[in-house]
Amino acid sequence: MVDLELSVRPGRGCTVLEVHGELDMATAPQLRDALQRLIEAGDRHVVVDLADVGFMDSSALGALVVMFKAFREVSGRLSLAAVQPAVRTVLTVTSVDRVMRVHEDVRAAEADVPVADDTTVR
């Protein structure tokens, strides 16, 4: 069993959640809880850095989709970056990549973060 490591760091106009390990039934709750804590802390634009994730199953995918909706409900955005081939296959087969923004790397995701504007962000 591979342990899951999550670390949060400030990004450019967003918060980056770095994920290290495998995302499966055992670790999906940790991912969901970490993202929920970010929402509760007031983060509205979060990029999940999946550069060090070689495997993701349906339970982890479900957790991402649930949290994607949770961010949307608070006028936020959850996007993915640096998705590895095996994980990209899961996103493509399930069409999640058509709903959630998937970027080549964190820098590209940061460049896509909407600029905060008092008239559009509430």
Side-chain angles (χ1 to χ4, degrees), residues 16-115:
V16 178
L17 176 64
E18 296 175 339
V19 183
H20 306 278
E22 294 188 352
L23 288 172
D24 56 25
M25 190 169 60
T27 58
Q30 290 173 257
L31 176 66
R32 188 182 63 245
D33 292 349
L35 290 167
Q36 184 62 46
R37 283 192 301 274
L38 291 174
I39 288 177
E40 290 167 3
D43 290 295
R44 291 298 174 260
H45 299 290
V46 173
V47 175
V48 180
D49 181 355
L50 297 173
D52 199 25
V53 175
F55 176 81
M56 180 171 68
D57 73 4
S58 60
S59 56
L61 183 68
L64 283 173
V65 170
V66 164
M67 294 315 301
F68 172 80
K69 291 177 181 176
F71 274 91
R72 201 169 54 190
E73 287 171 11
V74 295
S75 300
R77 181 194 290 175
L78 178 67
S79 54
L80 308 177
V83 177
Q84 299 306 302
V87 173
R88 184 171 289 278
T89 299
V90 172
L91 296 173
T92 303
V93 167
T94 58
S95 296
V96 169
D97 62 345
R98 294 180 184 200
V99 178
M100 214 178 288
R101 284 179 165 86
V102 180
H103 300 279
E104 285 300 311
D105 54 31
V106 172
R107 182 171 286 169
E110 289 173 332
D112 191 45
V113 171
V115 176

